[in-house]
Amino acid sequence: MSPRLEDENPDRLYMVTGGRSDVTDDGLDMVTLIVSECDPTPGMQSEHARILRLCKNPTAVVEISSELRMPVSVVRILLCDLLDMGRITARTPRQAPARTRLPDPEMLKQVLVGLQNL
């Protein structure tokens, strides 16, 4: 059985990040997709290698965090390292055009009531 996130050793997280506690505006949010640009190399930090293997296909930051069982803030630091080395690329999901209208809230309420009545 793997350890739970809340059981993570804070000293280990400190070591993984090299003592860094946060990154400046890196543009990485929870749904940013990460894609590996290369395979892991010998001697690479194990967390970096795991990220590269995990991200052969586009993978969201939050999914990487879950898979590594580490806080998103720590994963973002690791991802910034890999971005700086050119080993990954980050893709921000496309935003809907500004003119796209959201569904009418009243209609959504009616749909919800209809589903609850099923």
Side-chain angles (χ1 to χ4, degrees):
M1 187 164 97
S2 58
R4 294 185 327 229
L5 181 59
E6 53 271 9
D7 295 335
E8 186 67 57
N9 181 347
D11 293 336
R12 177 176 173 276
L13 296 178
Y14 181 86
M15 294 299 294
V16 165
T17 62
R20 295 168 290 165
S21 61
D22 197 16
V23 291
T24 55
D25 185 24
D26 56 11
L28 300 175
D29 60 24
M30 303 255 277
V31 295
T32 299
L33 298 175
I34 305 299
V35 180
S36 301
E37 294 297 329
C38 63
D39 290 324
T41 56
M44 177 179 276
Q45 183 176 336
S46 63
E47 291 79 11
H48 286 153
R50 286 182 65 199
I51 290 170
L52 292 178
R53 285 191 294 273
L54 179 64
C55 296
K56 295 283 185 193
N57 295 312
T59 308
V61 171
V62 70
E63 292 177 81
I64 297 167
S65 173
S66 174
E67 192 66 32
L68 296 180
R69 304 187 63 73
M70 292 182 167
V72 171
S73 58
V74 171
V75 170
R76 286 179 57 217
I77 292 168
L78 296 172
L79 292 173
C80 285
D81 293 343
L82 292 169
L83 276 170
D84 290 345
M85 292 185 272
R87 295 180 181 268
I88 61 170
T89 54
R91 300 177 185 170
T92 304
R94 293 182 188 167
Q95 297 291 327
R99 63 182 182 186
T100 301
R101 290 181 26 150
L102 296 174
D104 176 40
E106 187 58 37
M107 182 194 65
L108 291 175
K109 288 178 189 176
Q110 291 173 4
V111 169
L112 182 58
V113 168
L115 289 172
Q116 290 172 337
N117 289 333
L118 289 177

mmCIF file of all heavy atoms in Angstrom, residues 1-54:
data_model
loop_
_atom_site.group_PDB
_atom_site.id
_atom_site.type_symbol
_atom_site.label_atom_id
_atom_site.label_comp_id
_atom_site.label_asym_id
_atom_site.label_seq_id
_atom_site.Cartn_x
_atom_site.Cartn_y
_atom_site.Cartn_z
ATOM 1 N N MET A 1 0.840 -1.176 0.000
ATOM 2 C CA MET A 1 0.000 0.000 0.000
ATOM 3 C C MET A 1 0.887 1.241 0.000
ATOM 4 O O MET A 1 1.825 1.355 0.769
ATOM 5 C CB MET A 1 -0.885 -0.016 1.237
ATOM 6 C CG MET A 1 -1.900 1.081 1.243
ATOM 7 S SD MET A 1 -3.194 0.773 2.457
ATOM 8 C CE MET A 1 -2.576 1.750 3.806
ATOM 9 N N SER A 2 0.597 2.198 -0.910
ATOM 10 C CA SER A 2 1.414 3.395 -1.000
ATOM 11 C C SER A 2 0.994 4.401 0.065
ATOM 12 O O SER A 2 -0.151 4.414 0.506
ATOM 13 C CB SER A 2 1.289 4.014 -2.392
ATOM 14 O OG SER A 2 -0.045 4.307 -2.663
ATOM 15 N N PRO A 3 1.932 5.277 0.479
ATOM 16 C CA PRO A 3 1.610 6.231 1.534
ATOM 17 C C PRO A 3 0.603 7.263 1.055
ATOM 18 O O PRO A 3 0.534 7.598 -0.112
ATOM 19 C CB PRO A 3 2.958 6.889 1.841
ATOM 20 C CG PRO A 3 3.774 6.690 0.618
ATOM 21 C CD PRO A 3 3.291 5.417 -0.007
ATOM 22 N N ARG A 4 -0.192 7.769 1.990
ATOM 23 C CA ARG A 4 -1.150 8.822 1.673
ATOM 24 C C ARG A 4 -0.418 10.150 1.608
ATOM 25 O O ARG A 4 0.616 10.346 2.236
ATOM 26 C CB ARG A 4 -2.231 8.872 2.744
ATOM 27 C CG ARG A 4 -3.082 7.635 2.776
ATOM 28 C CD ARG A 4 -4.201 7.779 3.774
ATOM 29 N NE ARG A 4 -3.806 8.589 4.925
ATOM 30 C CZ ARG A 4 -3.996 8.241 6.180
ATOM 31 N NH1 ARG A 4 -4.589 7.118 6.468
ATOM 32 N NH2 ARG A 4 -3.605 9.015 7.167
ATOM 33 N N LEU A 5 -0.974 11.097 0.857
ATOM 34 C CA LEU A 5 -0.357 12.402 0.696
ATOM 35 C C LEU A 5 -0.117 13.079 2.036
ATOM 36 O O LEU A 5 0.943 13.647 2.279
ATOM 37 C CB LEU A 5 -1.237 13.285 -0.197
ATOM 38 C CG LEU A 5 -0.730 14.680 -0.496
ATOM 39 C CD1 LEU A 5 0.623 14.608 -1.181
ATOM 40 C CD2 LEU A 5 -1.720 15.428 -1.352
ATOM 41 N N GLU A 6 -1.096 12.981 2.936
ATOM 42 C CA GLU A 6 -0.929 13.664 4.224
ATOM 43 C C GLU A 6 0.163 13.018 5.082
ATOM 44 O O GLU A 6 0.611 13.601 6.059
ATOM 45 C CB GLU A 6 -2.250 13.750 4.990
ATOM 46 C CG GLU A 6 -2.964 12.452 5.187
ATOM 47 C CD GLU A 6 -3.926 12.103 4.045
ATOM 48 O OE1 GLU A 6 -3.943 12.762 3.018
ATOM 49 O OE2 GLU A 6 -4.658 11.126 4.211
ATOM 50 N N ASP A 7 0.607 11.797 4.716
ATOM 51 C CA ASP A 7 1.685 11.137 5.449
ATOM 52 C C ASP A 7 3.062 11.486 4.884
ATOM 53 O O ASP A 7 4.071 11.019 5.378
ATOM 54 C CB ASP A 7 1.510 9.612 5.394
ATOM 55 C CG ASP A 7 0.250 9.164 6.127
ATOM 56 O OD1 ASP A 7 -0.200 9.895 7.023
ATOM 57 O OD2 ASP A 7 -0.273 8.092 5.781
ATOM 58 N N GLU A 8 3.098 12.304 3.804
ATOM 59 C CA GLU A 8 4.355 12.655 3.141
ATOM 60 C C GLU A 8 5.281 13.357 4.125
ATOM 61 O O GLU A 8 4.865 14.238 4.874
ATOM 62 C CB GLU A 8 4.072 13.563 1.938
ATOM 63 C CG GLU A 8 5.297 13.862 1.113
ATOM 64 C CD GLU A 8 5.842 12.642 0.399
ATOM 65 O OE1 GLU A 8 5.109 12.022 -0.362
ATOM 66 O OE2 GLU A 8 7.025 12.322 0.639
ATOM 67 N N ASN A 9 6.543 12.971 4.123
ATOM 68 C CA ASN A 9 7.549 13.540 4.993
ATOM 69 C C ASN A 9 7.935 14.934 4.488
ATOM 70 O O ASN A 9 8.438 15.063 3.383
ATOM 71 C CB ASN A 9 8.774 12.609 5.005
ATOM 72 C CG ASN A 9 9.873 13.108 5.895
ATOM 73 O OD1 ASN A 9 9.876 14.250 6.339
ATOM 74 N ND2 ASN A 9 10.828 12.239 6.154
ATOM 75 N N PRO A 10 7.708 15.994 5.280
ATOM 76 C CA PRO A 10 8.037 17.350 4.826
ATOM 77 C C PRO A 10 9.521 17.520 4.507
ATOM 78 O O PRO A 10 9.877 18.287 3.621
ATOM 79 C CB PRO A 10 7.630 18.246 5.988
ATOM 80 C CG PRO A 10 6.836 17.415 6.923
ATOM 81 C CD PRO A 10 7.091 15.981 6.590
ATOM 82 N N ASP A 11 10.387 16.804 5.222
ATOM 83 C CA ASP A 11 11.819 16.889 4.946
ATOM 84 C C ASP A 11 12.132 16.366 3.549
ATOM 85 O O ASP A 11 12.984 16.901 2.848
ATOM 86 C CB ASP A 11 12.628 16.111 5.981
ATOM 87 C CG ASP A 11 12.536 16.736 7.369
ATOM 88 O OD1 ASP A 11 12.258 17.960 7.457
ATOM 89 O OD2 ASP A 11 12.727 16.017 8.352
ATOM 90 N N ARG A 12 11.429 15.316 3.143
ATOM 91 C CA ARG A 12 11.642 14.755 1.805
ATOM 92 C C ARG A 12 11.218 15.769 0.745
ATOM 93 O O ARG A 12 11.909 15.980 -0.248
ATOM 94 C CB ARG A 12 10.869 13.455 1.624
ATOM 95 C CG ARG A 12 11.023 12.886 0.229
ATOM 96 C CD ARG A 12 10.322 11.529 0.091
ATOM 97 N NE ARG A 12 10.346 11.110 -1.277
ATOM 98 C CZ ARG A 12 9.455 11.489 -2.211
ATOM 99 N NH1 ARG A 12 8.467 12.271 -1.863
ATOM 100 N NH2 ARG A 12 9.549 11.085 -3.441
ATOM 101 N N LEU A 13 10.056 16.409 0.949
ATOM 102 C CA LEU A 13 9.588 17.406 -0.013
ATOM 103 C C LEU A 13 10.570 18.570 -0.101
ATOM 104 O O LEU A 13 10.810 19.109 -1.181
ATOM 105 C CB LEU A 13 8.192 17.907 0.366
ATOM 106 C CG LEU A 13 7.080 16.857 0.328
ATOM 107 C CD1 LEU A 13 5.756 17.471 0.767
ATOM 108 C CD2 LEU A 13 6.967 16.225 -1.041
ATOM 109 N N TYR A 14 11.155 18.949 1.025
ATOM 110 C CA TYR A 14 12.156 20.012 1.048
ATOM 111 C C TYR A 14 13.358 19.608 0.197
ATOM 112 O O TYR A 14 13.881 20.398 -0.582
ATOM 113 C CB TYR A 14 12.579 20.290 2.497
ATOM 114 C CG TYR A 14 13.591 21.380 2.640
ATOM 115 C CD1 TYR A 14 13.184 22.720 2.721
ATOM 116 C CD2 TYR A 14 14.950 21.097 2.702
ATOM 117 C CE1 TYR A 14 14.112 23.735 2.859
ATOM 118 C CE2 TYR A 14 15.885 22.112 2.834
ATOM 119 C CZ TYR A 14 15.461 23.427 2.906
ATOM 120 O OH TYR A 14 16.381 24.433 3.036
ATOM 121 N N MET A 15 13.783 18.367 0.322
ATOM 122 C CA MET A 15 14.927 17.871 -0.447
ATOM 123 C C MET A 15 14.598 17.793 -1.937
ATOM 124 O O MET A 15 15.420 18.134 -2.782
ATOM 125 C CB MET A 15 15.377 16.504 0.066
ATOM 126 C CG MET A 15 15.931 16.516 1.463
ATOM 127 S SD MET A 15 17.383 17.560 1.637
ATOM 128 C CE MET A 15 18.531 16.661 0.622
ATOM 129 N N VAL A 16 13.403 17.334 -2.263
ATOM 130 C CA VAL A 16 12.987 17.186 -3.666
ATOM 131 C C VAL A 16 13.028 18.522 -4.384
ATOM 132 O O VAL A 16 13.418 18.600 -5.548
ATOM 133 C CB VAL A 16 11.563 16.573 -3.731
ATOM 134 C CG1 VAL A 16 10.948 16.742 -5.099
ATOM 135 C CG2 VAL A 16 11.599 15.105 -3.351
ATOM 136 N N THR A 17 12.644 19.594 -3.696
ATOM 137 C CA THR A 17 12.581 20.916 -4.321
ATOM 138 C C THR A 17 13.856 21.724 -4.124
ATOM 139 O O THR A 17 13.931 22.863 -4.592
ATOM 140 C CB THR A 17 11.411 21.730 -3.762
ATOM 141 O OG1 THR A 17 11.616 21.933 -2.363
ATOM 142 C CG2 THR A 17 10.094 21.046 -4.019
ATOM 143 N N GLY A 18 14.827 21.174 -3.443
ATOM 144 C CA GLY A 18 16.049 21.919 -3.188
ATOM 145 C C GLY A 18 15.816 23.098 -2.257
ATOM 146 O O GLY A 18 16.508 24.098 -2.320
ATOM 147 N N GLY A 19 14.787 22.975 -1.402
ATOM 148 C CA GLY A 19 14.488 24.028 -0.441
ATOM 149 C C GLY A 19 13.594 25.125 -0.977
ATOM 150 O O GLY A 19 13.191 26.013 -0.233
ATOM 151 N N ARG A 20 13.265 25.067 -2.255
ATOM 152 C CA ARG A 20 12.378 26.093 -2.821
ATOM 153 C C ARG A 20 10.958 25.818 -2.374
ATOM 154 O O ARG A 20 10.521 24.677 -2.337
ATOM 155 C CB ARG A 20 12.460 26.085 -4.346
ATOM 156 C CG ARG A 20 13.845 26.493 -4.843
ATOM 157 C CD ARG A 20 14.011 26.216 -6.300
ATOM 158 N NE ARG A 20 14.071 24.751 -6.463
ATOM 159 C CZ ARG A 20 13.926 24.134 -7.608
ATOM 160 N NH1 ARG A 20 13.679 24.815 -8.702
ATOM 161 N NH2 ARG A 20 14.004 22.830 -7.678
ATOM 162 N N SER A 21 10.235 26.892 -2.061
ATOM 163 C CA SER A 21 8.876 26.697 -1.560
ATOM 164 C C SER A 21 7.813 27.118 -2.558
ATOM 165 O O SER A 21 6.652 26.760 -2.410
ATOM 166 C CB SER A 21 8.679 27.451 -0.250
ATOM 167 O OG SER A 21 8.883 28.827 -0.466
ATOM 168 N N ASP A 22 8.177 27.886 -3.559
ATOM 169 C CA ASP A 22 7.187 28.313 -4.541
ATOM 170 C C ASP A 22 7.911 28.824 -5.765
ATOM 171 O O ASP A 22 9.097 29.135 -5.730
ATOM 172 C CB ASP A 22 6.285 29.404 -3.958
ATOM 173 C CG ASP A 22 5.004 29.581 -4.765
ATOM 174 O OD1 ASP A 22 4.674 28.687 -5.573
ATOM 175 O OD2 ASP A 22 4.343 30.598 -4.583
ATOM 176 N N VAL A 23 7.175 28.903 -6.849
ATOM 177 C CA VAL A 23 7.709 29.462 -8.085
ATOM 178 C C VAL A 23 6.962 30.750 -8.379
ATOM 179 O O VAL A 23 5.823 30.925 -7.977
ATOM 180 C CB VAL A 23 7.547 28.480 -9.272
ATOM 181 C CG1 VAL A 23 8.444 27.284 -9.095
ATOM 182 C CG2 VAL A 23 6.116 28.040 -9.431
ATOM 183 N N THR A 24 7.637 31.657 -9.072
ATOM 184 C CA THR A 24 6.939 32.863 -9.482
ATOM 185 C C THR A 24 5.946 32.484 -10.568
ATOM 186 O O THR A 24 5.838 31.313 -10.927
ATOM 187 C CB THR A 24 7.949 33.900 -10.007
ATOM 188 O OG1 THR A 24 8.713 33.296 -11.046
ATOM 189 C CG2 THR A 24 8.870 34.381 -8.900
ATOM 190 N N ASP A 25 5.258 33.417 -11.122
ATOM 191 C CA ASP A 25 4.211 33.131 -12.108
ATOM 192 C C ASP A 25 4.778 32.302 -13.248
ATOM 193 O O ASP A 25 5.413 32.799 -14.160
ATOM 194 C CB ASP A 25 3.614 34.430 -12.637
ATOM 195 C CG ASP A 25 2.455 34.174 -13.575
ATOM 196 O OD1 ASP A 25 1.831 33.104 -13.472
ATOM 197 O OD2 ASP A 25 2.176 35.051 -14.404
ATOM 198 N N ASP A 26 4.555 31.003 -13.170
ATOM 199 C CA ASP A 26 5.094 30.072 -14.160
ATOM 200 C C ASP A 26 4.090 29.749 -15.250
ATOM 201 O O ASP A 26 4.412 29.062 -16.211
ATOM 202 C CB ASP A 26 5.544 28.780 -13.476
ATOM 203 C CG ASP A 26 4.428 28.126 -12.671
ATOM 204 O OD1 ASP A 26 3.260 28.542 -12.791
ATOM 205 O OD2 ASP A 26 4.722 27.185 -11.923
ATOM 206 N N GLY A 27 2.870 30.227 -15.115
ATOM 207 C CA GLY A 27 1.853 29.953 -16.110
ATOM 208 C C GLY A 27 1.268 28.555 -16.031
ATOM 209 O O GLY A 27 0.449 28.178 -16.856
ATOM 210 N N LEU A 28 1.683 27.782 -15.037
ATOM 211 C CA LEU A 28 1.174 26.419 -14.889
ATOM 212 C C LEU A 28 0.011 26.427 -13.905
ATOM 213 O O LEU A 28 0.183 26.757 -12.745
ATOM 214 C CB LEU A 28 2.260 25.479 -14.359
ATOM 215 C CG LEU A 28 3.517 25.328 -15.213
ATOM 216 C CD1 LEU A 28 4.540 24.453 -14.486
ATOM 217 C CD2 LEU A 28 3.188 24.751 -16.564
ATOM 218 N N ASP A 29 -1.159 26.071 -14.398
ATOM 219 C CA ASP A 29 -2.266 25.904 -13.467
ATOM 220 C C ASP A 29 -2.602 24.418 -13.397
ATOM 221 O O ASP A 29 -1.919 23.595 -13.996
ATOM 222 C CB ASP A 29 -3.473 26.776 -13.834
ATOM 223 C CG ASP A 29 -4.023 26.468 -15.212
ATOM 224 O OD1 ASP A 29 -3.822 25.356 -15.727
ATOM 225 O OD2 ASP A 29 -4.685 27.351 -15.789
ATOM 226 N N MET A 30 -3.639 24.090 -12.693
ATOM 227 C CA MET A 30 -3.948 22.683 -12.436
ATOM 228 C C MET A 30 -4.299 21.904 -13.707
ATOM 229 O O MET A 30 -4.129 20.701 -13.747
ATOM 230 C CB MET A 30 -5.103 22.582 -11.441
ATOM 231 C CG MET A 30 -4.804 23.285 -10.149
ATOM 232 S SD MET A 30 -4.432 22.199 -8.839
ATOM 233 C CE MET A 30 -6.024 21.755 -8.266
ATOM 234 N N VAL A 31 -4.810 22.585 -14.724
ATOM 235 C CA VAL A 31 -5.238 21.886 -15.933
ATOM 236 C C VAL A 31 -4.260 22.032 -17.096
ATOM 237 O O VAL A 31 -4.514 21.534 -18.189
ATOM 238 C CB VAL A 31 -6.652 22.326 -16.375
ATOM 239 C CG1 VAL A 31 -7.680 21.921 -15.331
ATOM 240 C CG2 VAL A 31 -6.708 23.809 -16.671
ATOM 241 N N THR A 32 -3.129 22.702 -16.863
ATOM 242 C CA THR A 32 -2.115 22.800 -17.905
ATOM 243 C C THR A 32 -1.648 21.392 -18.251
ATOM 244 O O THR A 32 -1.395 20.577 -17.366
ATOM 245 C CB THR A 32 -0.923 23.652 -17.435
ATOM 246 O OG1 THR A 32 -1.382 24.961 -17.127
ATOM 247 C CG2 THR A 32 0.161 23.723 -18.490
ATOM 248 N N LEU A 33 -1.541 21.119 -19.545
ATOM 249 C CA LEU A 33 -1.102 19.799 -20.004
ATOM 250 C C LEU A 33 0.407 19.795 -20.201
ATOM 251 O O LEU A 33 0.962 20.705 -20.820
ATOM 252 C CB LEU A 33 -1.809 19.432 -21.307
ATOM 253 C CG LEU A 33 -3.332 19.333 -21.208
ATOM 254 C CD1 LEU A 33 -3.939 19.095 -22.579
ATOM 255 C CD2 LEU A 33 -3.739 18.252 -20.234
ATOM 256 N N ILE A 34 1.041 18.766 -19.676
ATOM 257 C CA ILE A 34 2.492 18.617 -19.753
ATOM 258 C C ILE A 34 2.812 17.450 -20.674
ATOM 259 O O ILE A 34 2.200 16.387 -20.584
ATOM 260 C CB ILE A 34 3.093 18.345 -18.350
ATOM 261 C CG1 ILE A 34 2.676 19.445 -17.356
ATOM 262 C CG2 ILE A 34 4.600 18.186 -18.419
ATOM 263 C CD1 ILE A 34 3.139 20.844 -17.714
ATOM 264 N N VAL A 35 3.811 17.653 -21.561
ATOM 265 C CA VAL A 35 4.231 16.608 -22.488
ATOM 266 C C VAL A 35 5.746 16.480 -22.423
ATOM 267 O O VAL A 35 6.472 17.474 -22.509
ATOM 268 C CB VAL A 35 3.805 16.951 -23.937
ATOM 269 C CG1 VAL A 35 4.236 15.850 -24.895
ATOM 270 C CG2 VAL A 35 2.310 17.183 -24.019
ATOM 271 N N SER A 36 6.223 15.238 -22.286
ATOM 272 C CA SER A 36 7.665 14.965 -22.270
ATOM 273 C C SER A 36 8.247 15.209 -23.649
ATOM 274 O O SER A 36 7.654 14.844 -24.655
ATOM 275 C CB SER A 36 7.943 13.506 -21.893
ATOM 276 O OG SER A 36 7.420 13.213 -20.640
ATOM 277 N N GLU A 37 9.427 15.780 -23.689
ATOM 278 C CA GLU A 37 10.135 15.993 -24.947
ATOM 279 C C GLU A 37 11.325 15.048 -25.095
ATOM 280 O O GLU A 37 11.982 15.049 -26.122
ATOM 281 C CB GLU A 37 10.617 17.448 -25.036
ATOM 282 C CG GLU A 37 9.492 18.454 -25.114
ATOM 283 C CD GLU A 37 8.632 18.289 -26.362
ATOM 284 O OE1 GLU A 37 9.159 17.854 -27.403
ATOM 285 O OE2 GLU A 37 7.426 18.581 -26.289
ATOM 286 N N CYS A 38 11.590 14.253 -24.049
ATOM 287 C CA CYS A 38 12.712 13.312 -24.103
ATOM 288 C C CYS A 38 12.497 12.231 -23.051
ATOM 289 O O CYS A 38 11.579 12.301 -22.249
ATOM 290 C CB CYS A 38 14.029 14.045 -23.856
ATOM 291 S SG CYS A 38 14.148 14.790 -22.209
ATOM 292 N N ASP A 39 13.346 11.240 -23.083
ATOM 293 C CA ASP A 39 13.317 10.181 -22.074
ATOM 294 C C ASP A 39 14.197 10.588 -20.893
ATOM 295 O O ASP A 39 15.094 11.427 -21.035
ATOM 296 C CB ASP A 39 13.845 8.874 -22.672
ATOM 297 C CG ASP A 39 12.892 8.291 -23.699
ATOM 298 O OD1 ASP A 39 11.660 8.414 -23.501
ATOM 299 O OD2 ASP A 39 13.371 7.729 -24.704
ATOM 300 N N PRO A 40 13.971 9.974 -19.736
ATOM 301 C CA PRO A 40 14.848 10.240 -18.588
ATOM 302 C C PRO A 40 16.288 9.838 -18.907
ATOM 303 O O PRO A 40 16.536 8.955 -19.724
ATOM 304 C CB PRO A 40 14.273 9.349 -17.486
ATOM 305 C CG PRO A 40 12.887 9.025 -17.906
ATOM 306 C CD PRO A 40 12.893 9.046 -19.406
ATOM 307 N N THR A 41 17.225 10.499 -18.254
ATOM 308 C CA THR A 41 18.638 10.185 -18.428
ATOM 309 C C THR A 41 19.205 9.640 -17.122
ATOM 310 O O THR A 41 18.689 9.945 -16.044
ATOM 311 C CB THR A 41 19.427 11.437 -18.852
ATOM 312 O OG1 THR A 41 19.221 12.470 -17.883
ATOM 313 C CG2 THR A 41 18.975 11.931 -20.212
ATOM 314 N N PRO A 42 20.245 8.840 -17.205
ATOM 315 C CA PRO A 42 20.861 8.306 -15.984
ATOM 316 C C PRO A 42 21.311 9.440 -15.058
ATOM 317 O O PRO A 42 21.811 10.465 -15.518
ATOM 318 C CB PRO A 42 22.065 7.514 -16.500
ATOM 319 C CG PRO A 42 21.736 7.207 -17.934
ATOM 320 C CD PRO A 42 20.898 8.353 -18.425
ATOM 321 N N GLY A 43 21.079 9.255 -13.779
ATOM 322 C CA GLY A 43 21.495 10.228 -12.780
ATOM 323 C C GLY A 43 20.497 11.348 -12.549
ATOM 324 O O GLY A 43 20.699 12.195 -11.691
ATOM 325 N N MET A 44 19.429 11.348 -13.324
ATOM 326 C CA MET A 44 18.400 12.377 -13.169
ATOM 327 C C MET A 44 17.648 12.160 -11.859
ATOM 328 O O MET A 44 17.465 11.023 -11.430
ATOM 329 C CB MET A 44 17.437 12.287 -14.362
ATOM 330 C CG MET A 44 16.281 13.233 -14.320
ATOM 331 S SD MET A 44 15.228 13.055 -15.777
ATOM 332 C CE MET A 44 16.124 14.087 -16.913
ATOM 333 N N GLN A 45 17.229 13.243 -11.240
ATOM 334 C CA GLN A 45 16.418 13.148 -10.024
ATOM 335 C C GLN A 45 15.229 12.232 -10.312
ATOM 336 O O GLN A 45 14.567 12.351 -11.332
ATOM 337 C CB GLN A 45 15.952 14.547 -9.619
ATOM 338 C CG GLN A 45 15.162 14.584 -8.339
ATOM 339 C CD GLN A 45 14.819 16.010 -7.927
ATOM 340 O OE1 GLN A 45 15.483 16.963 -8.299
ATOM 341 N NE2 GLN A 45 13.768 16.147 -7.150
ATOM 342 N N SER A 46 14.942 11.331 -9.388
ATOM 343 C CA SER A 46 13.917 10.306 -9.630
ATOM 344 C C SER A 46 12.542 10.902 -9.917
ATOM 345 O O SER A 46 11.798 10.386 -10.752
ATOM 346 C CB SER A 46 13.846 9.331 -8.453
ATOM 347 O OG SER A 46 13.442 10.002 -7.272
ATOM 348 N N GLU A 47 12.182 11.995 -9.256
ATOM 349 C CA GLU A 47 10.879 12.620 -9.508
ATOM 350 C C GLU A 47 10.812 13.201 -10.916
ATOM 351 O O GLU A 47 9.778 13.110 -11.580
ATOM 352 C CB GLU A 47 10.584 13.709 -8.466
ATOM 353 C CG GLU A 47 10.322 13.184 -7.082
ATOM 354 C CD GLU A 47 11.596 12.802 -6.315
ATOM 355 O OE1 GLU A 47 12.702 13.143 -6.779
ATOM 356 O OE2 GLU A 47 11.479 12.176 -5.257
ATOM 357 N N HIS A 48 11.909 13.786 -11.374
ATOM 358 C CA HIS A 48 11.953 14.302 -12.744
ATOM 359 C C HIS A 48 11.790 13.153 -13.740
ATOM 360 O O HIS A 48 11.044 13.272 -14.719
ATOM 361 C CB HIS A 48 13.273 15.029 -13.012
ATOM 362 C CG HIS A 48 13.364 16.363 -12.353
ATOM 363 N ND1 HIS A 48 14.571 16.921 -12.007
ATOM 364 C CD2 HIS A 48 12.421 17.257 -11.967
ATOM 365 C CE1 HIS A 48 14.362 18.101 -11.449
ATOM 366 N NE2 HIS A 48 13.065 18.327 -11.410
ATOM 367 N N ALA A 49 12.468 12.055 -13.480
ATOM 368 C CA ALA A 49 12.371 10.892 -14.372
ATOM 369 C C ALA A 49 10.943 10.350 -14.399
ATOM 370 O O ALA A 49 10.421 10.005 -15.470
ATOM 371 C CB ALA A 49 13.355 9.813 -13.932
ATOM 372 N N ARG A 50 10.289 10.290 -13.250
ATOM 373 C CA ARG A 50 8.902 9.797 -13.192
ATOM 374 C C ARG A 50 7.975 10.706 -13.996
ATOM 375 O O ARG A 50 7.080 10.233 -14.694
ATOM 376 C CB ARG A 50 8.432 9.705 -11.740
ATOM 377 C CG ARG A 50 9.040 8.521 -10.996
ATOM 378 C CD ARG A 50 8.539 8.404 -9.584
ATOM 379 N NE ARG A 50 7.101 8.115 -9.569
ATOM 380 C CZ ARG A 50 6.321 8.309 -8.502
ATOM 381 N NH1 ARG A 50 6.828 8.786 -7.389
ATOM 382 N NH2 ARG A 50 5.049 8.009 -8.551
ATOM 383 N N ILE A 51 8.183 12.004 -13.891
ATOM 384 C CA ILE A 51 7.356 12.948 -14.646
ATOM 385 C C ILE A 51 7.544 12.727 -16.141
ATOM 386 O O ILE A 51 6.570 12.677 -16.894
ATOM 387 C CB ILE A 51 7.683 14.406 -14.257
ATOM 388 C CG1 ILE A 51 7.202 14.693 -12.831
ATOM 389 C CG2 ILE A 51 7.060 15.385 -15.252
ATOM 390 C CD1 ILE A 51 7.684 16.010 -12.260
ATOM 391 N N LEU A 52 8.784 12.571 -16.582
ATOM 392 C CA LEU A 52 9.032 12.360 -18.008
ATOM 393 C C LEU A 52 8.371 11.082 -18.507
ATOM 394 O O LEU A 52 7.809 11.061 -19.606
ATOM 395 C CB LEU A 52 10.538 12.331 -18.295
ATOM 396 C CG LEU A 52 11.269 13.656 -18.117
ATOM 397 C CD1 LEU A 52 12.753 13.475 -18.375
ATOM 398 C CD2 LEU A 52 10.687 14.728 -19.029
ATOM 399 N N ARG A 53 8.417 10.021 -17.709
ATOM 400 C CA ARG A 53 7.771 8.769 -18.117
ATOM 401 C C ARG A 53 6.252 8.917 -18.119
ATOM 402 O O ARG A 53 5.568 8.422 -19.001
ATOM 403 C CB ARG A 53 8.203 7.624 -17.203
ATOM 404 C CG ARG A 53 9.617 7.117 -17.479
ATOM 405 C CD ARG A 53 9.911 5.828 -16.737
ATOM 406 N NE ARG A 53 9.945 6.003 -15.296
ATOM 407 C CZ ARG A 53 11.009 6.365 -14.597
ATOM 408 N NH1 ARG A 53 12.156 6.576 -15.200
ATOM 409 N NH2 ARG A 53 10.943 6.490 -13.294
ATOM 410 N N LEU A 54 5.728 9.610 -17.134
ATOM 411 C CA LEU A 54 4.282 9.792 -16.995
ATOM 412 C C LEU A 54 3.698 10.645 -18.117
ATOM 413 O O LEU A 54 2.563 10.432 -18.537
ATOM 414 C CB LEU A 54 3.987 10.434 -15.638
ATOM 415 C CG LEU A 54 2.547 10.734 -15.278
ATOM 416 C CD1 LEU A 54 1.750 9.437 -15.167
ATOM 417 C CD2 LEU A 54 2.490 11.503 -13.974
#
